[in-house]
Amino acid sequence: MARPRQFDEERALDAAMRAFWEYGYEATSTQDLCAATGLGRSSIYNTFSSKRELFSRSLARYLDAMADAQDAVLEDATRPPVERVRALFDKIVADEFENRPGGRSLGCLGVNSTVELAARDPEAARLLDRDAARRLRTLSAVIAAGQRDGSIAATRGPDALARYVNAIIGGMRVTAQGGAGRAAVQAVADTAMDALTRRRPPAPPAV
């Protein structure tokens, strides 16, 4: 009997994750979660004990899935490092415009939860900090590799540039969530790539 329950829990987590992603933690009611998961209140509380635990598990599931997807792009050794960064930006744009209910993207559950909860919810902050550390490690490694082969020309250290790229990605998601069109979000990505790859002209000789 354990196997069917495990399957049901994962399906319920995916459905709950989508509800929290679309509405946020506070605005998602227990009734919303019942409708999303197809479970009754007693089943939700018997399985997850509380809305808070269901959210924590949904957020962890989302963050792990998104970080796995980022790692798959950035650790693709068949591409030069700079092309991996470019491919990551391309993926963000594609993901944001895959589904736009009401003409707006859903954005990122991680970004949304950072704004809504990180300052006052220690468990959410812990999950988000863990996710950020993982993302930054992978970004820093690929940027350092790009600097070594000369394809990334920015002179700041890879850790600082990783934070820059991560902030740009968050901004792209918020921009899409605000209703901006694909061309506008793509322009943000293209500008970031220019900043990473464009070499500064040499300083004029001293007179």
Side-chain angles (χ1 to χ4, degrees), residues 19-156:
F20 288 127
W21 190 359
E22 187 166 356
Y23 302 116
Y25 174 70
E26 294 290 353
T28 302
S29 67
T30 303
Q31 186 56 46
D32 291 332
L33 294 170
C34 290
T37 62
L39 300 175
R41 286 174 179 261
S42 61
S43 295
I44 288 177
Y45 286 112
N46 286 338
T47 304
F48 302 104
S49 79
S50 67
K51 172 185 169 182
R52 189 65 194 76
E53 183 191 342
L54 178 54
F55 174 76
S56 291
R57 291 180 59 181
S58 298
L59 178 61
R61 188 174 180 84
Y62 174 90
L63 294 174
D64 286 345
M66 298 301 284
D68 286 347
Q70 174 176 293
D71 287 353
V73 174
L74 294 181
E75 294 174 353
D76 180 3
T78 66
R79 290 174 164 170
V82 72
E83 292 306 318
R84 297 180 217 172
V85 178
R86 192 184 307 275
L88 178 61
F89 281 131
D90 289 344
K91 176 174 172 48
I92 299 302
V93 174
D95 287 350
E96 289 302 315
F97 289 89
E98 182 178 352
N99 182 24
R100 284 170 66 87
R104 296 175 183 271
S105 301
L106 291 178
C108 172
L109 179 58
V111 173
N112 297 346
S113 299
T114 298
V115 174
E116 182 182 8
L117 297 172
R120 57 188 177 85
D121 187 316
E123 175 61 13
R126 183 188 69 80
L127 291 171
L128 293 162
D129 287 346
R130 183 192 69 178
D131 175 68
R134 176 181 172 182
R135 289 174 179 274
L136 291 171
R137 279 195 303 271
T138 311
L139 277 167
S140 182
V142 77
I143 289 169
Q147 289 180 315
R148 286 193 298 270
D149 72 15
S151 59
I152 292 178
T155 56
R156 291 190 180 273

Side-chain angles (χ1 to χ4, degrees), residues 163-188:
R163 290 189 177 278
Y164 166 73
V165 170
N166 198 51
I168 291 293
I169 289 171
M172 289 168 63
R173 291 191 180 280
V174 171
T175 298
Q177 190 175 19
R182 187 174 189 129
V185 179
Q186 183 65 57
V188 176

